[in-house]
Amino acid sequence: MRLLRNICVPVAALAVALLTTAGPVTAAPVAPQDAAYLAGAHQANLAEIAVNNLAATHQGASTVVVQLGAEFKHDHQQLDDALQAVAQQQGVPLPGQMNSDQQVDLQHMLQLNGALFDQAWVPSQLKAHEAAMAATEAEIAKGQDPAVVQLAKDALPVIAKHHEQLIAAAAQLNVQIPVTPAGTAPR
């Protein structure tokens, strides 16, 4: 018994020493593609929440803009809540605000009311959702972290639905859909 105690105590002390000097066990770092997607999608969600809050609070004149603004704000808040949870789990820091282009767009939208807001909101939202779909599809195709790729897979149908709703709203409000450089209308 004494021999067993003489062996176990030093082994236990060695194990404690190894654990305390090795530091905490951490997950593998997230690939740059995945981290960039999380950061960019978070900024896009922040912009969507802010712009659609304007639409939802009757800055727009039409019922369709007010209703879609409320729906989009809600949906992007849910998408961002899920994104923040994944980013935290993966140890990816997120930007604290929209990017500069998004801030400029928001400032422009703040200056508009009524029908002018509606006419600017639809193409602005189409452009934002086109960019979000492209980034999300790229993450699905090239992402390495399974949790981030799943996040993108979950977000894509929501973004695509918004895009379709915006095309319908453009027709309803007689808003010209912008033409892409390739000479085709957005998806």
Side-chain angles (χ1 to χ4, degrees):
M1 182 74 156
R2 184 182 286 179
L3 178 63
L4 185 60
R5 190 174 3 164
N6 288 343
I7 293 173
C8 288
V9 172
V11 169
L14 178 62
V16 169
L18 286 174
L19 287 174
T20 57
T21 58
V25 176
T26 59
V30 173
Q33 159 76 26
D34 299 320
Y37 174 74
L38 289 170
H42 175 64
Q43 287 179 308
N45 285 330
L46 292 176
E48 288 297 314
I49 292 163
V51 167
N52 287 302
N53 186 55
L54 296 176
T57 55
H58 304 291
Q59 192 139 343
S62 70
T63 304
V64 70
V65 170
V66 172
Q67 289 174 344
L68 288 178
E71 180 181 338
F72 292 3
K73 176 186 172 192
H74 175 264
D75 290 349
H76 282 279
Q77 185 63 62
Q78 286 190 318
L79 290 173
D80 202 55
D81 290 346
L83 183 148
Q84 288 183 53
V86 169
Q88 184 176 12
Q89 287 173 340
Q90 306 305 58
V92 176
L94 296 174
Q97 61 186 10
M98 297 174 261
N99 69 37
S100 59
D101 288 342
Q102 293 161 336
Q103 290 176 22
V104 167
D105 288 344
L106 177 62
Q107 290 304 313
H108 172 71
M109 296 303 291
L110 280 166
Q111 298 172 15
L112 303 174
N113 288 308
L116 289 175
F117 181 90
D118 295 352
Q119 294 293 310
W121 181 81
V122 172
S124 170
Q125 286 295 290
L126 278 168
K127 179 181 173 186
H129 282 82
E130 280 288 316
M133 279 195 301
T136 301
E137 288 169 346
E139 176 60 26
I140 292 168
K142 299 176 184 173
Q144 297 176 20
D145 186 288
V148 180
V149 171
Q150 186 60 53
L151 183 77
K153 286 179 180 178
D154 293 343
L156 188 59
V158 175
I159 299 166
K161 177 185 172 195
H162 290 181
H163 187 262
E164 293 302 317
Q165 291 172 303
L166 288 162
I167 291 172
Q172 183 178 340
L173 298 171
N174 199 26
V175 174
Q176 291 293 308
I177 296 176
V179 176
T180 63
T184 60
R187 297 182 211 202

